[in-house]
């Protein structure tokens, strides 16, 4: 396995009439771990070759980075009930190295959406499986793939593409709004600080919150304001009753999405009115001085003579 596949194996892959899933073949050959023919260094070497072959660094068609997570998700069966992708990341350093190498190529148009929104959503969905419940000394959620310098540079590049118009303003501002929603979800998964405080939360007033509201925030339930808007309880014809907004609502701090808010502010300053609704959507998820300033600028651009009295 250290030398890679044999020539006969490579020839068989070339002449195969049906698409081959290398990660699936690896899992079939290596499970159950300990009784299979692949184990130890042989398994690590085979996993490296499979990952790098299934997701090459360069390709004529531009393999999107989503393929990396699809392949790693299949290979996670090798660490079933042991942490899935997180375990593979910790067992084999080449997994993280290959992810960083893919990001270093730059965010191509095909992969920009996944890098910007999809990978965060995927990791958020997988927390229940990769959460370090098997290590009592480490009970933190796993976000390591998003904490490398290469990922930060890729996000900065995408924001620049949106601001410059390389990514159309309408699609780009919508991507920002979706990213804000998933970053708020990520922030709410973070454990309390050593003092027991939830650093992400913003209460709308200086009064001490009711115990019921604080308990709801600690349990990570849906933001009341967001749920209230989504379920449309204010729509009397729909529900035949008026349900007012909950007495206490809370938001995530806007510092969690500072770069995204600054990009929206730059687009608004350039006169791109397509971002107005996206700013409103972001303001429904976060609170703080930065989003308040942008929201004020957005309101200042409205003119009844332009908007029409019905839309003011």
């Amino acid at each position: 396995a250290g030398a890679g596949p044999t020539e006969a194996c490579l020839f068989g892959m070339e002449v195969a009439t049906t698409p081959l899933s290398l990660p699936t073949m690896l899992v079939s050959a290596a499970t159950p771990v300990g009784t299979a023919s692949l184990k130890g260094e042989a398994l690590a070497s085979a996993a490296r070759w499979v990952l790098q072959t299934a997701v090459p660094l360069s390709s004529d068609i531009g393999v999107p980075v989503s393929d990396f997570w699809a392949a790693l998700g299949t290979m996670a069966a090798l660490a079933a009930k042991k942490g899935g992708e997180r375990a593979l990341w910790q067992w084999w350093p080449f997994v993280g190295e290959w992810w960083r190498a893919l990001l270093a190529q730059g965010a191509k148009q095909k992969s920009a959406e996944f890098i910007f929104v999809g990978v965060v959503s995927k990791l958020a969905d997988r927390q229940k499986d990769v959460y370090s419940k098997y290590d009592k000394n480490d009970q933190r959620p796993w976000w390591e793939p998003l904490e490398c310098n290469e990922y930060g540079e890729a996000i900065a590049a995408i924001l620049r593409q949106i601001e410059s118009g390389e990514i159309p303003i309408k699609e780009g501002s919508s991507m920002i709004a979706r990213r804000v929603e998933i970053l708020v979800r990520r922030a709410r998964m973070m454990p309390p600080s050593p003092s027991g405080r939830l650093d992400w939360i913003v209460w709308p007033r200086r009064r001490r919150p009711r115990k019921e509201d604080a308990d709801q925030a600690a349990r990570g339930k849906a933001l009341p304001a967001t749920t209230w808007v989504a379920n449309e309880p204010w729509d009397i014809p729909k529900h035949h009753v008026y349900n007012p907004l909950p007495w206490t609502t809370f938001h995530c701090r806007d510092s969690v999405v500072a770069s995204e808010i600054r990009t929206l502010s730059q687009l608004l300053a350039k006169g791109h009115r397509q971002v107005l609704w996206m700013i409103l959507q972001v303001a429904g998820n976060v609170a703080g001085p930065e989003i308040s300033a942008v929201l004020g600028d957005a309101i200042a651009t409205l003119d009844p003579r332009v908007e029409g009295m019905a839309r003011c």
Side-chain angles (χ1 to χ4, degrees), residues 103-217:
L103 291 173
Q105 292 186 117
K108 300 179 176 62
Q109 192 75 20
K110 242 179 134 177
S111 55
E113 169 77 19
F114 184 82
I115 293 175
F116 204 60
V117 181
V119 66
V120 189
S121 178
K122 187 175 185 66
L123 287 177
D125 292 339
R126 291 286 295 160
Q127 287 302 316
K128 63 181 184 298
D129 297 308
V130 303
Y131 190 79
S132 187
K133 58 186 177 183
Y134 308 99
D135 184 358
K136 294 183 179 180
N137 296 322
D138 184 5
Q139 294 294 307
R140 297 168 297 174
W142 183 61
W143 303 103
E144 190 173 348
L146 309 182
E147 295 169 351
C148 62
N149 292 333
E150 290 79 1
Y151 183 77
E153 292 170 359
I155 293 301
I158 293 173
L159 289 173
R160 288 194 297 269
Q161 291 173 20
I162 295 174
E163 187 175 342
S164 67
E166 184 177 345
I167 295 177
I169 303 301
K170 182 178 180 180
E171 287 74 13
S173 60
S174 178
M175 284 171 56
I176 289 177
R178 294 196 299 276
R179 176 170 170 82
V180 167
E181 289 184 1
I182 195 61
L183 288 179
V184 168
R185 181 183 172 192
R186 174 194 175 187
R188 295 174 62 208
M189 289 181 176
M190 300 304 290
S193 63
S195 63
R197 295 183 56 188
L198 293 170
D199 295 332
W200 61 267
I201 201 167
V202 178
W203 295 99
R205 66 190 191 289
R206 294 182 181 277
R207 285 181 56 193
R208 185 174 182 178
R210 295 185 304 184
K211 181 178 184 303
E212 295 81 3
D213 295 313
D215 291 344
Q216 185 181 34

Side-chain angles (χ1 to χ4, degrees), residues 26-99:
L26 175 68
V27 171
S28 298
T31 52
V33 178
T35 61
S37 57
L38 280 176
K39 61 183 73 173
E41 290 298 326
L43 177 58
S45 179
R48 177 195 291 268
W49 181 84
V50 164
L51 187 62
Q52 296 179 355
T53 303
V55 192
L57 280 181
S58 60
S59 172
D60 293 336
I61 60 174
V63 176
V65 294
S66 58
D67 289 356
F68 173 89
W69 288 99
L72 194 64
T74 301
M75 294 167 61
L78 296 171
K81 298 184 179 181
K82 294 182 180 180
E85 294 92 330
R86 180 177 189 161
L88 299 185
W89 196 282
Q90 295 174 345
W91 291 351
W92 300 325
F94 64 80
V95 175
E97 292 170 2
W98 203 247
W99 166 243

